[in-house]
Amino acid sequence: MDTIMAFTIVCTSLVYLLIGLGINKKNARYLLSGYNTMSQAKRDAFDIDRYLKFFKSFFKGLVLFPPASWFVCVLIFDSVTSVTVWAVTQCLPMFLFLKTSLSTDWSK
């Protein structure tokens, strides 16, 4: 189980890093949900540069969250409970991301 969890944690962190590094202004039109379905007029009024600065820094900062949260889970819970708590814990930053993203005015 330790090898599988180590692999899962590394992959999760790598996905966060790749999202943070991979999304840019050129591919946002295709990859960012919501932005990719906006009309051209709405896209022109949307401050994509400011949003991408927030988006990229959030996901780059999230890279250390999987190993740090696993470490805390292992200290507190047994190994089986740790897996479940860790998996649920990985959703928590996404709620923060959604709250911040939706409550901010991204107009130019």
Side-chain angles (χ1 to χ4, degrees):
M1 182 144 104
D2 290 337
T3 305
I4 293 170
M5 271 315 292
F7 180 75
T8 302
I9 292 165
V10 168
C11 285
T12 304
S13 291
L14 187 59
V15 166
Y16 291 153
L17 181 63
L18 291 174
I19 290 170
L21 295 174
I23 303 292
N24 58 47
K25 195 171 181 176
K26 290 180 182 179
N27 62 25
R29 181 174 179 174
Y30 306 104
L31 299 177
L32 282 182
S33 179
Y35 185 73
N36 61 3
T37 59
M38 285 181 185
S39 66
Q40 188 60 46
K42 285 186 178 181
R43 258 191 234 120
D44 291 341
F46 188 80
D47 191 351
I48 189 67
D49 293 318
R50 199 174 105 217
Y51 182 76
L52 284 175
K53 185 177 177 181
F54 158 73
F55 182 91
K56 292 166 82 64
S57 67
F58 183 87
F59 278 95
K60 288 177 191 174
L62 204 53
V63 169
L64 295 177
F65 184 69
S69 57
W70 176 249
F71 179 73
V72 170
C73 286
V74 169
L75 287 177
I76 298 172
F77 305 107
D78 63 275
S79 60
V80 175
T81 306
S82 292
V83 173
T84 304
V85 172
W86 179 83
V88 170
T89 304
Q90 298 314 296
C91 298
L92 297 177
M94 298 309 148
F95 292 118
L96 176 64
F97 176 79
L98 283 172
K99 181 183 180 298
T100 306
S101 183
L102 293 173
S103 65
T104 305
D105 181 15
W106 299 107
S107 332
K108 288 184 181 178

